[in-house]
Amino acid sequence: TSSPSVPPAPLPRTPYEPTAFDMFWTRIEDWLAVRGDFASKGMIHEFAFATHWLIRVGAVLIIGAIVYFVKLSIDRGWMGPTGRVAATLFWGMVGCVGGSWLVKKGRYSLIGHAVSALGVVALYLGFGLGHRFFDPPVIASPVFAFAALAGVTLFAGVMAVYLRSPHIAVMGLIGGYLVPVIAGRDSGF
């Protein structure tokens, strides 16, 4: 006499847990579509989308205008190399300080993040071009150029944490990876 076999009970289903890769692409989609924590609280989605993308496009246009103006000043001889590097560093600091002030003001925080990120880009350009672009270089020491560029990376990291800004963090990461390239092989780094 054999007893009838009882099928085993099915295993309980576990909820789907996204992988790090899935979360990475979800964050990129949220950034592009201005959803999730990238969207401003209490703002209509269409208005938030338009505002964020207008600021992003505006930041790119401002960078293009700055590059064009610097090229125009080089072609026409309006400023010497030292003046160009000093002006770029000055306006970079103005962008960082002014952007931080706008973020802390609250109402204009999105514009403040963009202005601060542009300031970080200007600091990288000032130190990098001051070392590599001019002949003779405005910043002659590759070690000083490397230290200054590394300092800008550290400064960008501190600003990104202090202001809670992914824009500044991205600029700092990109610039940080480019520091050895900008400082050159002759720096020993």
Side-chain angles (χ1 to χ4, degrees):
T1 67
S2 67
S3 64
S5 64
V6 178
L11 295 173
R13 294 189 111 190
T14 57
Y16 171 75
E17 292 186 30
T19 64
F21 183 77
D22 294 334
M23 292 187 316
F24 172 76
W25 285 111
T26 301
R27 293 287 292 166
I28 289 177
E29 290 171 0
D30 287 349
W31 184 82
L32 289 171
V34 189
R35 295 185 302 225
D37 58 345
F38 293 105
S40 301
K41 305 292 184 244
M43 190 182 292
I44 299 170
H45 184 270
E46 291 81 8
F47 186 74
F49 183 84
T51 303
H52 280 67
W53 274 104
L54 282 175
I55 288 175
R56 291 170 185 167
V57 170
V60 170
L61 291 175
I62 288 173
I63 290 173
I66 291 170
V67 169
Y68 177 74
F69 178 75
V70 169
K71 183 178 180 334
L72 189 65
S73 72
I74 291 169
D75 292 344
R76 303 233 173 133
W78 292 343
M79 286 191 290
T82 306
R84 283 181 237 152
V85 170
T88 305
L89 294 175
F90 172 76
W91 287 111
M93 285 308 298
V94 167
C96 290
V97 171
S100 300
W101 179 76
L102 287 172
V103 169
K104 290 302 173 186
K105 192 124 172 108
R107 180 176 166 99
Y108 306 106
S109 65
L110 186 60
I111 295 171
H113 289 292
V115 169
S116 294
L118 286 172
V120 169
V121 169
L123 292 175
Y124 278 121
L125 286 174
F127 287 119
L129 295 178
H131 173 64
R132 294 289 266 184
F133 185 72
F134 301 108
D135 187 27
V138 174
I139 301 172
S141 169
V143 175
F144 178 78
F146 182 85
L149 290 164
V152 172
T153 303
L154 181 65
F155 178 68
V158 169
M159 275 184 57
V161 171
Y162 177 69
L163 298 176
R164 298 177 184 215
S165 175
H167 302 96
I168 299 170
V170 167
M171 291 300 147
L173 282 173
I174 292 170
Y177 281 113
L178 292 177
V179 164
V181 174
I182 295 170
R185 290 186 213 118
D186 54 343
S187 63
F189 296 106

